[in-house]
Amino acid sequence: MMTRSAEQSLALARNGERLSDAEALALLDIATPQALSEAAEALCLAGHGHAITYSKKVFIPLTKLCRDVCHYCTFAHPPRDGTPAFLSEDEVLEIARAGADAGCNEALFTLGDKPELRYRAAREALDAMGFATTLDYLEQAARRVIEETGLLPHLNPGLMDEDTMRRLRRVSVSQGIMLESASERLCEPGGPHYGSPDKAPKARLETIAAAGRAGVPFTTGILIGIGETRRERIETLLAIRALHEQYGHIQEVIVQNFRAKPGTRMSAAAEPALDEQVWTIAVARLMFGPQMNIQSPPNLRPEGLAPLVRAGLNDWGVSRP
Ligand SMILES: O=c1nc2n(C[C@H](O)[C@H](O)[C@H](O)CO)c3cc(O)ccc3cc-2c(=O)[nH]1
Ligand SMILES: C[C@H]1O[C@@H](n2cnc3c(N)ncnc32)[C@H](O)[C@@H]1O
Ligand code: SF4
């Protein structure tokens, strides 16, 4: 049974009205996603019609060294003998040109967070190239990509301060970091973000706010199924919404589902069920209204594409050639 307040929230959102924080949290009382999904799909159709967008981006992993140790991550690894700490500028340009030839419009720079704070190999490599920090090198690499290939860089390098973002803004079309979760609990011992200082919710929220002050078009989102509760998901989405209402810079909100990947500390952890993702996408649509881009990557849930669309998603995000 739906509580009275949940029913009111659903009706308000369905009418295109903004839900207060309390009204958004009342959606928690709607345990099964069907009613949420129906309302969210209607909102999404009003804002975006039947179109579902995606963008072709070439992926440039500038460095896979990272000072963090997120328990779900397959991207980062410690220094390996014989493996350079960074892609060279030539390698970056080669990847970008191949992407351009394959029809990409954007270059997605994703990288480990400030590896020079943890690894001598990263410090020495930066030193040899004449850069003080990974973000300084990123600026140079992005500048060359934009100038020499015409591809538009989107930067996803982890935490940044406002000055750096302003500098990076000149060599990119947009930037992003996943908030992942606003739950401090996940940073405690045993949690997926324990030992990853760059996943502290306050620090990530500060980066998203700095992007707002710097006027950087920004992508963020949440990672579901890493030990957070539904309430914490709504609280995370509310934190994103508050910053967007202040600055207007959030161009899309990603609802990404955790996948248990071999070789990670969470390789045996349970993955979130399809219904959890449908529930969360629908709640996000109802909280952000018809216009916001709500994105979920199709490759992480290939069996559930139709239910995700019916839950109010309008963007698949990145397609890699
Ligand atoms: O739309 C995006 N897609 C991003 N993607 C692509 C997309 O989310 C992928 O489909 C999933 O991460 C699955 O690998 C990334 C993939 C990675 O492996 C690492 C980092 C990213 C970063 C982004 C991002 O900032 N924005
Ligand atoms: C680039 C983004 O990819 C997400 N990410 C990292 N590892 C995983 C995983 N195992 N499953 C799903 N998403 C993941 C995080 O949200 C990160 O910020
Ligand atoms: S910050 Fe976490 S998710 Fe990002 S590369 Fe480092 S370990 Fe992986």
Side-chain angles (χ1 to χ4, degrees), residues 72-74 156 178 180 199 223 256-259 261 300:
Y72 42 73
C73 178
T74 43
N156 184 237
M178 292 283 282
E180 320 285 15
K199 296 285 157 123
L223 182 57
Q256 185 143 322
N257 54 308
F258 160 68
R259 295 302 311 257
K261 305 264 184 78
L300 298 180

Side-chain angles (χ1 to χ4, degrees), residues 10 13 19 23-30 32-33 36-37 39-40 43 222 230-231 233-235 237-238 241 255 276-289 294 311-312:
L10 199 55
L19 298 182
E23 285 160 351
L25 284 163
L27 295 174
L28 276 172
D29 292 333
I30 309 178
T32 52
L36 291 171
S37 220
L43 268 196
I222 75 176
R230 283 184 173 183
R231 171 178 292 273
R233 278 182 221 154
I234 295 186
E235 288 166 352
L237 292 166
L238 284 171
R241 190 181 71 166
V255 177
E276 284 304 313
Q277 195 173 359
V278 167
W279 187 92
T280 311
I281 289 172
V283 166
R285 172 59 68 200
L286 296 177
M287 287 174 57
F288 280 91
I294 305 288

Side-chain angles (χ1 to χ4, degrees), residues 195-239:
S196 295
D198 299 294
K199 296 285 157 123
K202 281 201 184 74
R204 288 181 100 71
L205 287 166
E206 176 44 37
T207 290
I208 301 170
R213 295 192 296 271
V216 174
F218 210 74
T219 297
T220 188
I222 75 176
L223 182 57
I224 69 161
I226 55 171
E228 80 294 348
T229 62
R230 283 184 173 183
R231 171 178 292 273
E232 287 169 331
R233 278 182 221 154
I234 295 186
E235 288 166 352
T236 303
L237 292 166
L238 284 171

Side-chain angles (χ1 to χ4, degrees), residues 108-126:
L108 169 56
F109 281 90
T110 289
L111 44 147
D113 210 309
K114 297 182 283 293
E116 65 274 22
L117 297 184
R118 182 178 180 120
Y119 296 118
R120 176 194 298 267
R123 288 191 292 274
E124 287 177 352
L126 287 169

